[in-house]
Amino acid sequence: MRLSTIRTNDGGTSAAVWRRDSWELVDTADVGELLASDRMDEVLANPVGELSEDVVSFAPLVLSPGKIICCGHNYRAHIAEMGREAPQFPTLFAKFADTLVGASDSIDFHPSVSKLDWEAELAVVVGSTLRDANRDEALAGIAGYTVANDISARDWQSRTPQWLQGKAFDSTTPLGPVLVTRDEFDPRSGAPITCSVNGEMQQCGSTDDLVFDPADLLSYISMFTTLRPGDVVLTGTPSGVGAAASPPRFLQVGDVVETTIEGIGVLHNTIEQRQREKGI
């Protein structure tokens, strides 16, 4: 099954399910709200509208996740290009809901940033409450998978040993376009994950190169914080980031970033200069 969050003509949003050749809108605002509903099957069985694929505008897949937790240094090839050892435990940091944008939305380039980098990522969306979950319980608690790009302000990230400030700029993390349910996608099968900039391939990896796979990550995270339906976990990026290039390469205003995971979908985002707001 494929689910999405779609912008509606009245300026709102609606969760939607793909049926045959169109999107059927259902009576919840987004995929996160749908997953948290105790009547999900009923809601999906009673659509309230329909849109053809060619007129759809995708909102961020989950609009207001309670938690966005990300794992760094989790692809073996990326760990090698950064000159690091494989970690014993996941390297985790957080994002906020304000970072999220839709699959074709622009990515904000804040005026204070000079080194904006790309990071194609497989994202996991939680489907049930997890606390102290073992691996099997964590796997069963995965609603499905989607595509993300952890666009990172490397200059801000390197200011301190803590990465948060370089990872949490508003409107920098595209998420979508769809959630593919766990029964239809298995990262262990080795799905290609790529990122191109202006049509030039920068990253080309495989989801079977993860050190900690999604079930491992959700189990580990659930030991210290409860995961709930609609929470999002980004699983890390493969090799080929701009900061590791020689010389390093970073994004510029007008660049087009395309992020693809085979079997899920494509993000297509343009870098746009954020206008500095008065008093900020």
Side-chain angles (χ1 to χ4, degrees), residues 4-5 7 25-26 28 32-33 45 56 58 76 78 93 99 119 123 136 163-164 174-175 208 214 219 241 260 273 275:
S4 190
T5 300
R7 296 185 175 101
L25 308 182
V26 298
T28 54
E33 182 180 321
V56 162
F58 293 108
R76 293 175 181 86
H78 177 53
F93 58 93
T99 65
E119 293 193 33
D136 289 343
W163 297 353
L164 174 66
L175 183 74
D208 62 359
S219 174
V241 297
T260 304
Q273 183 74 64
Q275 298 301 312

Side-chain angles (χ1 to χ4, degrees), residues 238-250:
S239 61
V241 297
S246 182
R249 177 185 174 185
F250 299 106

Side-chain angles (χ1 to χ4, degrees), residues 225-236:
T225 187
T226 302
L227 292 170
R228 295 184 171 86
D231 286 347
V232 178
V233 175
L234 274 61
T235 60

Side-chain angles (χ1 to χ4, degrees), residues 14-37:
S14 174
V17 58
W18 179 252
R19 305 282 195 199
R20 297 176 298 277
D21 58 358
S22 64
W23 287 102
E24 292 184 352
L25 308 182
V26 298
D27 192 22
T28 54
D30 74 309
V31 169
E33 182 180 321
L34 178 65
L35 294 173
S37 172

Side-chain angles (χ1 to χ4, degrees), residues 30-100:
D30 74 309
V31 169
E33 182 180 321
L34 178 65
L35 294 173
S37 172
D38 58 5
R39 44 188 287 272
M40 178 174 169
D41 290 343
E42 178 186 345
V43 170
L44 289 174
N46 293 279
V48 296
E50 185 175 353
L51 285 173
S52 60
E53 187 173 25
D54 60 340
V55 299
V56 162
S57 173
F58 293 108
L61 183 71
V62 182
L63 297 178
S64 300
K67 296 182 177 75
I68 306 172
I69 299 178
C70 312
C71 185
H73 299 151
N74 198 28
Y75 278 78
R76 293 175 181 86
H78 177 53
I79 293 167
E81 77 174 347
M82 301 305 289
R84 298 178 179 269
E85 298 293 329
Q88 182 179 0
F89 302 106
T91 302
L92 301 176
F93 58 93
K95 285 181 177 285
F96 309 109
D98 286 334
T99 65
L100 300 178

